[in-house]
Every structure is written in structure tokens, then in C-alpha cells.
Amino acid sequence: MATQLWAQEPEPVQIAASPEVLLSVTAPEVALAIWNRAAPAGLAASIDALVLDAVDDIEAAIEAPISAADLTVTLQDAGYNSDVVALLAEDIAALAGRFAAVVGRTRFKLRLEVIETDACRRFHSDFVTYRLLTTYRGQATQWIETDRPDAVAQMRAGEVAIFKGRMLLDDPPVLHRSPPIAATGEQRLLLVLDPVTE
């Protein structure tokens, strides 16, 4: 069970530099928790040097705790080079373990994909219980609170968010989208984790 981190009713968006903020998303009033971290320095540099055209998108079922060694094989099979594989595998394994502790699930659907279009260009909420997102390279996810639709906020690369989805919220107070990058030549590397629900 999540530890309560506030004295009064929390706001629908919680942002902090500590990873403990991710626990707040399990509170009924919270729809988005953002761990305002930078990607590990060595990982960020290796990903910046990565040729994203040379890697395949990954979609896999994983179970936490997952070992970095298992993820290493998956990343190598997708074309990730040796400079980035170990660091990226360690980070994804750590995030999956942290996500499992927050949502009380061990089975997840993992997507690691290169995005070059305006995928999910409209503000929306996904039909999931929870969704973990982090952008390893490029512009990160944008979000709004529905009562302030013109105040568009944007995550930074490396930050980690857990969004509560429509399976838990009929009328979500927070919506998100991919940043518009079509025709700019920009590429994004995005990690998505969704719990597998029975």
C-alpha cells in the first residue's frame, strides 16, 4: 500500500525530484505523478550517439523483477549497440521494478519505440489502469489538466511519469499527447510500460 505523502487533499498532478513521488499516483485524487529526474549521465550520452534508424521497435511481455541480462538480449536483438545496451537494460529493469511496487502488478507490456511522427497527437487518456512513460531522447510527453486546457506542460527527456488511465478514471482530470514533431526530422526514443490486467 502506498504511503501517504501529503497532509491535505493532493492536487491531480504531483511532481518531485524524489522517485517516491510515483507512489502518489495510487491516491484517488492523483492522475499523474512525475519523477523529475535526469536520465543517468552515461546512458543519456550513449543514447544521444545512437543511430535510431539502425534499431527496431521492441514490444515484449515482461515480468518484474526482470533482470538487466534478459533485457540486454532483447535490446541486442533489436540492434542496440554495446555502448548503450547495458546502461539501458539496467534503467528499464529498475523502472519496471519501481512501477511494479507502485501498481502492485508484476506482468507488463513493454514498448521501446522510435517515433518520427505526431503519434497520439490529440490530448487523450489511455484505456489502461496505469501507464509509465519516459522519453530517452527527443521531446518528451506533453500534458494538460482538463480544467486548464490552454496551459500545455511538457516533460523533459529522462523524467518518468505514471499516468492513471481510463480503466480507473471515467473522467480523467489530466490528458497527454506526443509532442508534434512531424516534418521536423526529429526522432524520439520512448519507453512505455503498461500493467497486464486479468
Side-chain angles (χ1 to χ4, degrees):
M1 184 170 181
T3 304
Q4 189 161 324
L5 302 175
W6 50 83
Q8 300 175 348
E9 183 175 298
E11 295 294 320
V13 178
Q14 298 289 311
I15 303 173
S18 166
E20 299 304 314
V21 72
L22 297 176
L23 290 167
S24 67
V25 78
T26 60
E29 304 85 354
V30 177
L32 167 61
I34 298 176
W35 172 18
N36 139 7
R37 71 156 196 172
L43 175 57
S46 296
I47 286 177
D48 284 346
L50 190 63
V51 178
L52 293 180
D53 288 334
V55 300
D56 296 326
D57 290 343
I58 295 171
E59 189 167 317
I62 63 170
E63 188 152 353
I66 186 167
S67 73
D70 289 340
L71 285 170
T72 293
V73 172
T74 302
L75 291 167
Q76 287 172 331
D77 288 347
Y80 285 83
N81 64 41
S82 56
D83 292 336
V84 73
V85 161
L87 293 170
L88 186 55
E90 286 172 14
D91 195 61
I92 294 172
L95 291 177
R98 196 171 291 283
F99 194 29
V102 170
V103 302
R105 297 276 181 175
T106 57
R107 295 172 58 228
F108 299 98
K109 178 181 171 184
L110 175 152
R111 283 188 290 129
L112 182 65
E113 53 192 1
V114 177
I115 298 174
E116 300 172 305
T117 64
D118 294 349
C120 301
R121 67 177 189 239
R122 295 177 186 271
F123 283 105
H124 66 283
S125 178
D126 298 295
F127 193 73
V128 294
T129 51
Y130 297 94
R131 172 165 285 177
L132 181 145
L133 295 173
T134 190
T135 303
Y136 284 111
R137 184 161 126 191
Q139 291 187 57
T141 302
Q142 296 179 337
W143 55 272
I144 57 167
E145 294 184 56
T146 53
D147 60 356
R148 297 188 303 145
D150 295 328
V152 178
Q154 185 159 0
M155 294 171 58
R156 294 177 309 198
E159 291 185 324
V160 179
I162 300 177
F163 288 85
K164 194 174 282 177
R166 287 192 177 273
M167 291 177 73
L168 297 177
L169 295 172
D170 289 331
D171 190 18
V174 176
L175 304 176
H176 67 281
R177 73 174 181 187
S178 298
I181 60 169
T184 66
E186 183 177 341
Q187 295 175 305
R188 304 173 61 226
L189 182 62
L190 177 71
L191 172 70
V192 181
L193 292 176
D194 294 329
V196 174
T197 54
E198 301 303 331

